[in-house]
Structures are given as structure tokens and as C-alpha cells.
Amino acid sequence: MTTVKDEAGPDQPREEDAYALDRRTVASILYAVDVDDRGKLIELLEPLHPADIADLLEQINPYDRSRLIRLYDKEFDGDILSELDEAVREEVIAVLRPDVLAEAVREMESDDVVDLLEDLEEPQQETILDALEETDRHAAQQALAYPENSAGRLMQREIVMAPEHWTVGQAIDFMRANDDLPEQFYHVVLIDPRLKPTAQVTLGKLMAARREIALRDIAEQEFHTIPVDQDEEDVAYAFNQYHLISAPVVDADGRIVGVITIDDAMVVLDEEYEEDMLHLAGVSNESSLSDSVAATSKRRLPWLAVNLCTAICASLVISQFEAAINRLVALAILMPIVASMGGNAGTQSLTVAVRALATRDLTGSNVLRVIRRELLVGMLNGLCFAVVLGIVGMMWFASPMLGVVIGTALVVNMIIAGFVGTVVPVALDRIGVDPALASGTFVTTTTDVMGFFIFLGLASVVLL
């Protein structure tokens, strides 16, 4: 754990470093790799969680990564693969010996195997499938047949089920006699004779109840099933909205085919949040720190090209007022302020709107109220800064009317920013376009163009 000396006291871990890898531990691990000390490497990696080992593999360079994997060899845990970034994962699989890879994959839960397979190229998929036992291979192939980003891809096949007429004692005896229970599970799903889930019982209630109590008598009141073809975003929303821990997945006939647990739903929510943040910055959601220079450049170029086009549009607006700018140089000095303030205000409204759309808080029933609020916020903030900027303009250039012009332009542009920052993502969402991906360009272009046009237009009319 990294330690620093600050206000918290000497040698106290910083809060943001609480779960970071200790630099000295990383250095010791790399030294063990350098001197080819397998025993020491295993000793250092043994206490670490698979997620921490995955972080380590992502942070070190490819040369050290391949040496570490080869030295670690048979101790390599399959859970590490499920924690790795996609680009690094492919590289790790290529380095692992076939027998080590096969053993690692066999230890993984079925949903983790599917998650691993869907990100790999076909040759590597075949390698993984060949390493699985016949039943596991069939289950994985069946899961891959479901639509991408659906509940069928997200679910795990390991389910703890019991007939709805069983008692607590019968369920406990069944689980104790079964050697093939999932590593982690939270509910016993009750099913009818047609394999349709009817309710579920938490393990806490099961262990606290007397043996003769019927399972249906201690079943949870809230019960939700997930269609196998439901989009994973909707699945994650249901878990978040209804505070689910796990939920059975059913096919078109209502029969149980798997179960989704809270950890998988939270991964989807985290991925959606990360994707929205990257899209708002005009960066592909497939980008990662391990990508090559060429791959990173290729992904960013299209959006930079779009930004270049929007900048040219703003420049064309400015060019229409070339004569006014030549006569009053102060306009060239002050006009970036109007555009910049509008852009920042628009981005604030945009970020709130995109997040509200993602969490489904912004709907058709409240969109007008939200737009009205953003208009009033833009006007209020614009008036506050207009006063400040108006005074600055008057004192700097000794022109009271210049202060009035820039203050007025700022108020109008910030009102426009609040409007487009909310309306644009809502409109894009309605037509089926990802608002996080496309909204930023429309909003910044609008605030830039309108900011320049309003300020320079008013100045041309009032001052010249």
C-alpha cells in the first residue's frame, strides 16, 4: 500500500491509494521475474486477489508480462483472465501454455467463460472451447448463440433449484449431498414441474427456518424473472431499480435457463458509465491504456476531424464580421469568452441530461420541466456573469456600450446552451442514436456559432 506524509499523519495511506498495488510489492515481483525465482514469485502473488494480479499484468510492459506468465505457469488462475482488459487478455492467452490455459478455463464460472469467448477471435475461441469438458463446451456454445449484449450472454448456467413443494430440510439435504453447487449463489429458485420459476428463497431465510417449513412460505415477496433475449442494459437497470441480488433467466416458454447475479449486473452498469464518459469526450469505448499508438490514433482521428469541421463553421461565422473586427479590435479579444462560457454551460447541461437518460430519470413526462429548469439556470448564471463581464468590458476598453453588448450576448448564449444541452441528447435518444456519442459535437458547435454570431452581430448594430 502506497504511503505518503500529509495532513492525515505520517506514513498514512492516501484514501485513493487504499486498494492500489504497493510499489514495493510490484518491484519485488518484477525482481523475482528477473532472477527467475518461481518460488518467490508464487509467494508474492499468492496473497493477491485475481483482480490485483490482472492490474499488475496490465501495468507492466509486454516483455515483463510474458516472462511473468511463463514463470508463474501452472499457478495461473482462470479468474485472472476474467479481470483482464480485452487487449491484454488476448496477449496473455497467446503466452499461456495450452495445458495451463485449459486448466485455468475449467475453473471459471460459465458466465465468465462466455464473457471471455465473445471478445476473442475465432482461433482463440476454438482453443478455449477445446479445453472445456463436453457439457461445458455445449453450454458455452449455446450461450454464444444468444444475441450479443443480451441476458443469455450475461447469465451463468449453474443454478440452485428446488421443487416449489419442498421443505427447508429437503432443500438443505439436497445441497449438502450435491458436489456441483456454484461457488457463489444467493438464492434457491423454486420451480414448478414444467421448470418455470415461481419464487426464490434467500440463503439467510433458508438457514434460519425450521426444517419442516415449506420453501414457498419463506419465499421473497418481490420476484422478477429476466427474458433470455433482454438487453443487458435493461437487465442492469432492473437490478439497480429493484435492488435485486440475483434473478432467474427464462426462455420464450418461461422455463429457467440460467441465473444472473448482482456482480455481473454491476459490471454492465460500470461499463455503461465508462462508455458514456468516453463518448462524451469523443473517444471510442474500446480504447484502453494498453492500446498501441497506431490503434489509439486511428480511433481518435474521426472525432478530431468532426471537430475540425465544426471549428471551420465557427470561423465562417466570424469571417462575416471581418470589417467589424477590423474597426474594433476589442471584439476579437472578447468574443472567445462568450463562446467558451456557452460551451461550458452546454456541456454541464449535456452531462446531466445524458446521465439522466442512462438512468431513465429523464423521460417524456418530465422533459419539458427539465428544459424549463435549464433555461432558467442558464439565464440566472448568464445574468451573474454578464454583470461581471460587463464591468470588465467597460473598465478595460472604456466603453459602457461594449460592456452591455458582451453581457447581453453572454446571457443569450448561456440560455441557448442550457436549451441545446438538454434537447439535443433527448432528441438523439428518441431517434435511436447514442446521445453520449453524438451530443457533444452538436452542443459545442451550436454554442460556438451562436456565441460568435450574437456577440459580433450585436456589436455591429450597436457599436458601429
Side-chain angles (χ1 to χ4, degrees), residues 176-334:
R176 285 176 177 169
N178 197 320
D179 296 328
D180 200 27
L181 292 177
E183 239 179 68
Q184 290 184 337
F185 65 99
Y186 310 100
H187 290 99
V188 175
V189 182
L190 306 188
I191 55 172
D192 66 13
R194 295 168 295 176
L195 291 180
K196 292 184 177 182
T198 58
Q200 57 186 12
V201 178
T202 63
L203 291 181
K205 284 189 176 180
L206 182 71
M207 300 307 296
R210 297 190 304 275
R211 289 182 60 87
E212 66 273 12
I213 297 292
L215 290 176
R216 64 166 67 95
D217 292 339
I218 57 171
E220 289 189 310
Q221 292 184 343
E222 289 288 330
F223 179 62
H224 297 268
T225 59
I226 306 293
V228 72
D229 57 353
Q230 189 169 77
D231 189 274
E232 63 179 20
E233 288 185 42
D234 296 327
V235 174
Y237 176 80
F239 269 76
N240 189 50
Q241 180 75 2
Y242 303 116
H243 310 294
L244 305 180
I245 299 174
S246 69
V249 181
V250 296
D251 62 16
D253 296 322
R255 292 173 300 190
I256 190 167
V257 291
V259 65
I260 294 176
T261 53
I262 182 68
D263 56 324
D264 296 314
M266 291 305 101
V267 167
V268 174
L269 282 177
D270 184 58
E271 288 175 349
E272 291 301 318
Y273 172 77
E274 180 184 352
E275 182 180 321
D276 285 348
M277 291 302 100
L278 290 172
H279 281 171
L280 282 172
V283 180
S284 167
N285 61 298
E286 296 178 356
S287 300
S288 72
L289 293 177
S290 56
D291 288 344
S292 67
V293 172
T296 303
S297 176
K298 183 179 178 181
R299 290 193 181 109
R300 295 183 185 179
L301 271 174
W303 285 106
L304 292 175
V306 171
N307 286 334
L308 175 61
C309 294
T310 60
I312 292 173
C313 290
S315 298
L316 289 173
V317 172
I318 295 171
S319 69
Q320 302 304 308
F321 298 93
E322 185 177 353
I325 294 172
N326 286 334
R327 291 177 62 185
L328 190 58
V329 178
L331 299 180
I333 297 172
L334 295 175

Side-chain angles (χ1 to χ4, degrees), residues 5-82:
K5 295 181 180 180
D6 56 14
E7 294 82 356
D11 299 326
Q12 292 297 311
R14 293 184 301 176
E15 187 175 344
E16 63 266 30
D17 291 339
Y19 298 102
L21 288 169
D22 187 327
R23 274 183 263 179
R24 279 179 289 187
T25 301
V26 174
S28 299
I29 291 170
L30 292 178
Y31 178 74
V33 173
D34 285 336
V35 298
D36 207 27
D37 189 343
R38 185 170 186 272
K40 184 64 176 177
L41 177 65
I42 294 172
E43 178 187 334
L44 291 168
L45 293 180
E46 186 66 31
L48 298 182
H49 189 277
D52 292 325
I53 299 176
D55 284 344
L56 171 67
L57 291 173
E58 290 170 0
Q59 292 169 17
I60 62 180
N61 63 60
Y63 175 67
D64 288 336
R65 189 184 300 137
S66 61
R67 290 194 303 152
L68 188 154
I69 293 167
R70 290 191 178 96
L71 188 62
Y72 200 35
D73 199 41
K74 293 183 178 179
E75 302 299 322
F76 195 93
D77 191 340
D79 289 336
I80 300 172
L81 288 174
S82 62

